[in-house]
Amino acid sequence: MRIQSYIDLTMSFKKLIYAILILVLLLAVSYIFQDKKIGNGSNANTKYELAKDWLKLPDSILLGEPTGIGIDTSQNIFIFHRAKREWPLIGSMPKSLIKERTILIVDSKSGQFISSWGENLFVMPHGLTVDNHNNVWVTDVGLHQVFKFTDDGKLLMTLGEARMPGKDKTHFNRPTDIAIANDGSFYVSDGYGNSRVIKFSPGGKYLFEWGKKGKKDGEFNVPHGLSLDSKGNVYIADRENSRVQVFDSTGKFLKQYSNKNLGNICAVTIGTNDRLYAADDVSFLKIKHRGSDVFSFDTAGIVQTRFGRSGFYNGPVCWYHDMVLDSQQNIYVGDILNNSVQKFKNVSTQ
């Protein structure tokens, strides 16, 4: 009887193990082949196509990890890249400055190279924004600083203390992005270390901040990208929470955009009629990248358009780190897996 009971117990245990394995397999298959349908909103027929071989840089320039993308009033694209520098998987940030020019300027229509600057200034480039006066704002997560330049590279403002992370009014801990309001005030997502957003006056005076690490409204897990709509509301790519949170200019929570198909949200930008565009990154168990997509939402939060380089189909797997729109609503994204900047041309029927 004892032997039979042992055999029965062993068989039951094996069945349980098989059941668990089957469940894990089904969940994996469901994740891989997740639903990719889009919504049926008023802008659902907006279409984009990849402009192949758009970017044309001189052979002398090695484009490496284009982490920041911006556009000026003349529709020139600014690219913030790391050249030969790579993010350290283990250990601390590098000590030396990148000797190559890290700011590239190209024509948005032709992709032709215009000029460059930014050598011997940065340790680990991250976010870039061009304001309405064509000033260039960047963040360096290695230096823990935010910088404001003229469009040809003259330094106008520095915030934060070099190589000194902190969580007060004068220090950052790996700041990720900047957004500039029409009145000149600006927001900084102090993202990797502090999970907060700080608002400054036009002259760089600390005004207030909000956020802490968490999943609730007004909390963040790596606020990674920023953008403002026509009303001055702040859109924040809450990367590891796979959502976009929206706040008014005082930091009051308004709403969030989320969807079961969204991966980690790396970048946000606002198009015409305050239409939200977001770029995500999808990975398997935080190890292997499955690729990125661009989503557009209507103001009700319904997905209108989805495209990119995720899933299992022809084309390189990409990691879209930042994005920007031009006046024709063409989309430019920095792909840090393939060290490229892709242009998706608006070919809508509307």
Side-chain angles (χ1 to χ4, degrees):
M1 292 294 293
R2 290 182 178 179
I3 295 176
Q4 184 61 45
S5 297
Y6 175 79
I7 293 175
D8 292 341
L9 181 61
T10 301
M11 293 298 293
S12 297
F13 180 74
K14 287 182 177 179
K15 289 179 181 179
L16 177 61
I17 295 298
Y18 290 149
I20 292 174
L21 291 175
I22 291 172
L23 178 61
V24 171
L25 179 61
L26 290 174
L27 289 174
V29 170
S30 175
Y31 176 78
I32 293 171
F33 296 103
Q34 57 187 317
D35 178 25
K36 294 192 175 184
K37 294 180 181 179
I38 65 173
N40 294 315
S42 59
N43 293 317
N45 62 343
T46 303
K47 304 294 183 182
Y48 289 89
E49 65 179 23
L50 179 65
K52 295 182 179 180
D53 303 319
W54 163 76
L55 185 60
K56 302 173 181 64
L57 296 178
D59 293 338
S60 59
I61 295 178
L62 175 65
L63 181 66
E65 295 189 359
T67 57
I69 305 289
I71 189 167
D72 68 11
T73 57
S74 298
Q75 302 298 287
N76 295 317
I77 301 297
F78 284 68
I79 303 169
F80 197 25
H81 77 118
R82 294 172 179 165
K84 298 177 182 179
R85 179 66 48 85
E86 294 183 355
W87 186 286
L89 296 179
I90 56 174
S92 59
M93 286 287 176
K95 300 296 184 183
S96 63
L97 299 174
I98 299 174
K99 63 180 181 180
E100 293 85 3
R101 295 185 173 187
T102 52
I103 305 286
L104 308 178
I105 308 170
V106 300
D107 181 85
S108 62
K109 292 183 178 179
S110 66
Q112 294 289 344
F113 172 78
I114 297 175
S115 62
S116 62
W117 50 271
E119 65 273 29
N120 298 310
L121 289 177
F122 307 111
V123 168
M124 191 61 66
H126 201 273
L128 179 147
T129 301
V130 183
D131 66 23
N132 293 333
H133 300 287
N134 292 330
N135 297 309
V136 181
W137 302 70
V138 298
T139 67
D140 188 317
V141 295
L143 290 173
H144 307 288
Q145 289 180 297
V146 176
F147 302 92
K148 176 185 178 181
F149 297 90
T150 61
D151 60 353
D152 58 357
K154 179 182 177 181
L155 182 62
L156 299 176
M157 183 189 299
T158 302
L159 294 177
E161 186 176 354
R163 306 180 193 276
M164 290 294 294
K167 194 181 180 180
D168 54 31
K169 296 180 180 181
T170 60
H171 292 83
F172 304 102
N173 193 338
R174 297 187 177 185
T176 51
D177 203 9
I178 323 100
I180 299 89
N182 290 332
D183 65 0
S185 62
F186 59 97
Y187 304 83
V188 175
S189 50
D190 194 17
Y192 287 110
N194 289 329
S195 288
R196 62 177 177 169
V197 175
I198 311 169
K199 186 173 184 178
F200 295 89
S201 72
K205 179 183 178 181
Y206 173 96
L207 297 178
F208 61 86
E209 66 181 74
W210 73 93
K212 63 180 181 179
K213 191 166 185 178
K215 297 181 178 181
K216 297 178 181 178
D217 295 346
E219 298 178 345
F220 309 105
N221 191 354
V222 186
H224 195 265
L226 297 176
S227 191
L228 306 179
D229 67 14
S230 62
K231 299 177 182 178
N233 296 321
V234 187
Y235 292 67
I236 302 173
D238 188 6
R239 195 183 76 176
E240 298 301 307
N241 284 329
S242 299
R243 63 183 179 180
V244 177
Q245 294 196 69
V246 187
F247 303 83
D248 68 13
S249 60
T250 68
K252 177 184 177 182
F253 175 83
L254 298 177
K255 60 181 178 180
Q256 74 172 21
Y257 291 79
S258 61
N259 184 282
K260 66 178 182 179
N261 291 325
L262 291 174
N264 295 333
I265 306 297
C266 294
V268 288
T269 192
I270 303 299
T272 56
N273 300 319
D274 285 338
R275 186 176 179 186
L276 171 65
Y277 292 79
D280 76 344
D281 170 56
V282 181
S283 61
F284 181 69
L285 298 179
K286 305 291 184 181
I287 299 174
K288 182 177 178 57
H289 288 280
R290 291 184 53 241
S292 287
D293 281 326
V294 174
F295 291 77
S296 70
F297 299 82
D298 64 16
T299 54
I302 299 174
V303 176
Q304 301 294 297
T305 307
R306 177 180 182 176
F307 60 89
R309 287 293 178 271
S310 69
F312 295 88
Y313 54 88
N314 292 333
V317 172
C318 298
W319 183 353
Y320 298 153
H321 194 268
D322 198 10
M323 65 189 301
V324 74
L325 294 169
D326 67 18
S327 60
Q328 303 300 313
Q329 302 301 285
N330 300 310
I331 299 174
Y332 305 80
V333 291
D335 170 19
I336 62 173
L337 277 188
N338 300 290
N339 295 331
S340 68
V341 176
Q342 296 180 350
K343 176 180 180 178
F344 289 97
K345 189 174 180 180
N346 182 359
V347 292
S348 305
T349 58
Q350 294 184 351

